[in-house]
Amino acid sequence: MSALRTFLALLAAVAVSAAVSFPLRCGAEKCAEGVGGEASAEMASVRAAVGKGALFAVLGGYRSLVADFLWIKGYVNWEDKDIAKCVSAMELACEIDPSTTVFWTQASSVIAFDIPHWIFERMPKNMKSDAVLDSLKIRQARKATEFIDRALALYPDNYELLIQKGQTAIAARLFGVAEDCFGRAAKLDNGFYARRIYASLLERNGKFAEARKVLEKLLEEVEPDNPSKALIADQLKSVVRAQKNTQ
């Protein structure tokens, strides 16, 4: 009986994932023409079911197992560079088991950093250019930023999610959004990574005095023999020069 229930739960998840078509990837590949409306309606139905707990009730205690299964399925689709199936499976894994942070961060990375190249590879040669690829990267990075927002709505103080959103926001050239993300992440973790990038974004956004404060504080804390000390010192010099040039 237990094996049968597991099989039925997996079957239910696969059936749902097959019906889902994520507008994000449909727009990327122009598949909204002809089938986009129907796909969006199906996705809305699935979301409504999830919101009401209907899907969770069907899956019961097998949510984690089914989510892992879907993630593996999405990974196989990722290897095939199948945009629709890959993102559909990964997104549904996030829906079913939203507490698994790595599902959100890796799916966001696929959307932002892999899909633009997959789309570009399939384009006619006469349509390819550096400008077109750059435009695809920005568009997909913005969609990835919106995607990770769904996770942050559930876990607003999750360090990994904030870092991921900050990275995709930088790729999307949303530097104000990135600054906010890394600033929040820096308050959650006292390490150098988030704080150094936060300082860089403050400098990028013309907030030189704030950037100097962050870097000066880092220099006070870093050990003398830490290799990062020289990097932080150089970054601080860059900020000071930039500030003088604007005065």
Side-chain angles (χ1 to χ4, degrees):
M1 181 63 70
S2 178
L4 177 60
R5 288 184 61 191
T6 302
F7 172 76
L8 291 175
L10 291 173
L11 186 61
V14 174
V16 172
S17 68
V20 172
S21 183
F22 191 28
L24 164 69
R25 56 193 184 280
C26 285
E29 295 229 78
K30 304 293 185 181
C31 68
E33 298 174 7
V35 299
E38 179 183 354
S40 297
E42 289 169 344
M43 188 62 187
S45 297
V46 173
R47 289 190 184 283
V50 172
K52 294 175 182 177
L55 183 58
F56 288 169
V58 172
L59 298 179
Y62 295 100
R63 281 172 54 183
S64 180
L65 177 63
V66 173
D68 289 344
F69 173 83
L70 284 165
W71 190 261
I72 293 170
K73 179 180 179 295
Y75 181 77
V76 172
N77 298 140
W78 175 82
E79 290 184 324
D80 295 334
K81 299 181 180 181
D82 188 323
I83 297 173
K85 291 181 179 179
C86 174
V87 180
S88 179
M90 289 185 174
E91 184 196 27
L92 192 53
C94 292
E95 296 274 0
I96 292 172
D97 188 8
S99 65
T100 302
T101 300
V102 70
F103 285 175
W104 292 102
T105 57
Q106 290 193 14
S108 176
S109 291
V110 169
I111 293 165
F113 305 117
D114 293 338
I115 289 179
H117 294 281
W118 296 351
I119 298 172
F120 189 74
E121 287 172 7
R122 299 172 190 175
M123 294 178 67
K125 189 174 182 180
N126 64 337
M127 293 179 62
K128 293 182 178 180
S129 69
D130 290 341
V132 168
L133 179 58
D134 190 52
S135 177
L136 286 171
K137 288 179 178 179
I138 293 172
R139 184 179 69 183
Q140 290 303 127
R142 294 193 176 193
K143 290 176 179 178
T145 303
E146 293 171 1
F147 177 80
I148 209 72
D149 267 338
R150 289 162 52 191
L152 282 167
L154 300 172
Y155 309 104
D157 295 325
N158 184 293
Y159 178 81
E160 288 78 13
L161 293 175
L162 286 168
I163 293 295
Q164 182 67 21
K165 182 180 177 181
Q167 291 171 339
T168 57
I170 290 173
R173 300 180 187 174
L174 300 172
F175 298 109
V177 173
E179 176 194 319
D180 176 69
C181 290
F182 278 99
R184 289 165 60 190
K187 292 178 181 178
L188 296 172
D189 185 281
N190 204 35
F192 291 164
Y193 176 73
R195 294 159 75 189
R196 282 194 60 204
I197 296 181
Y198 178 48
S200 296
L201 288 164
L202 288 169
E203 179 185 4
R204 168 68 177 71
N205 294 334
K207 301 176 181 179
F208 304 113
E210 294 178 45
R212 286 184 64 173
K213 287 182 181 179
V214 173
L215 293 171
E216 286 168 354
K217 185 79 164 58
L218 280 173
L219 275 179
E220 290 176 5
E221 298 174 7
V222 68
E223 297 293 333
D225 58 346
N226 191 318
S228 297
K229 186 176 180 67
L231 295 175
I232 296 169
D234 288 342
Q235 188 175 350
L236 178 58
K237 290 177 183 177
S238 174
V239 171
V240 172
R241 285 196 300 268
Q243 186 175 25
K244 288 181 178 179
N245 290 337
T246 60
Q247 292 174 347

